[in-house]
Amino acid sequence: MKVIAIANHKGGVGKTTTAVNLSAALAELGYDTLLIDMDPQGNATSHLGYVPFSITKTIESALVDDNNQIDVDSLIIERGPRLFLIPANLNMSSSELLLSGMLERERVLKRVIGKIKRRFDYIIVDTPPSLGLFTVNAIYAADEVIVAVQTQPFALEALGVFRRTLAKVYQSKKDYNFKVWGLPTMHDRLTNTSRAMFDKVKEMFGPLTLTPIHQNVRLREASGLGKHILEHDFLSSGTVDYIRLAKEISGEKEEERQENRTHRGD
Ligand SMILES: Nc1ncnc2c1ncn2[C@@H]1O[C@H](COP(=O)(O)OP(=O)(O)OP(=O)(O)O)[C@@H](O)[C@H]1O
Ligand SMILES: [Mg+2]
């Protein structure tokens, strides 16, 4: 079981698109996958076709559950084969303040996940565009973080702050397997700017740089329709990119590579 947080405190860089479509791709590959929406904007929730404000039970109830009364399983919506969601909505924005008064306030989500993790192969957490307690909780709970970086000018300017926060968490977690991946998003392989930014992402993340997600209008359409990309257009480049990402993350690519090597005898 692995928990992966999708983060970057810069807004509009493809975090939610990645959280939703990576979850759907992992489910397609046969992994039981839970997406937790930790963003009061509820974008992951609506991307999967739910109306955030009409939802009564969100991740918030488990986060502020001081007396341990909430059955976390009851918050899980079954969205499709092997794809599950714990939703979010704007009502939870005030609970970030409540969290700040709680004991071990950074580890609340980790405790919540501890109650349900046996059911899943992957838990993906979508985070808001801030370095507040929701994001910090997601990072504490995570075994791996995917930093979504749009390959556009200014994308890296604020990343130093974000990486310092990650480094602090890393030190206090004492988890030496903790991985921070860089994922170039909305990549346009034809423009010089995009290519130059991709090189900078590679400099920053080294071997943990993932293959880019390309610009694909189908991804934008899917979010507006309340569908993930595999449902909206299975043959799109968006589907190809997110299936590839799911394989990279789950290590299938490495296994495939090794298998090919064995077949080839090298
Ligand atoms: N690869 C892509 N190609 C085309 N459009 C994309 C792509 N990735 C994301 N988008 C679009 O860009 C916009 C921002 O993406 P998204 O909501 O995933 O970003 P975000 O980082 O989650 O934003 P926020 O910080 O507000 O949570 C959305 O309209 C989305 O549909
Ligand atoms: Mg988002």
Side-chain angles (χ1 to χ4, degrees), residues 36-38 58-66 70 72 75 92 95-96 98-99 102 105 107-113 115 133-134 137:
I36 301 181
D37 191 350
M38 276 292 276
T58 65
I59 185 67
E60 179 197 26
S61 18
L63 294 174
V64 298
D65 178 30
D66 266 347
I70 294 288
V72 184
L75 306 176
M92 70 187 261
S95 58
E96 200 161 17
L98 278 179
L99 276 184
M102 286 168 76
R105 56 194 187 166
R107 293 171 207 265
V108 183
L109 181 65
K110 191 174 174 70
R111 285 201 298 275
V112 171
I113 286 178
K115 295 178 187 167
L133 268 177
F134 287 146
N137 261 275

Side-chain angles (χ1 to χ4, degrees), residues 31-46:
Y31 297 107
D32 286 321
T33 306
L34 170 68
L35 170 59
I36 301 181
D37 191 350
M38 276 292 276
D39 182 357
Q41 296 182 100
N43 290 342
T45 301
S46 48

Side-chain angles (χ1 to χ4, degrees), residues 255-266:
E255 277 160 30
E256 272 170 27
R257 263 194 238 131
Q258 277 167 6
E259 240 172 65
N260 290 342
R261 263 183 235 134
T262 321
H263 286 312
R264 288 201 314 265
D266 56 26

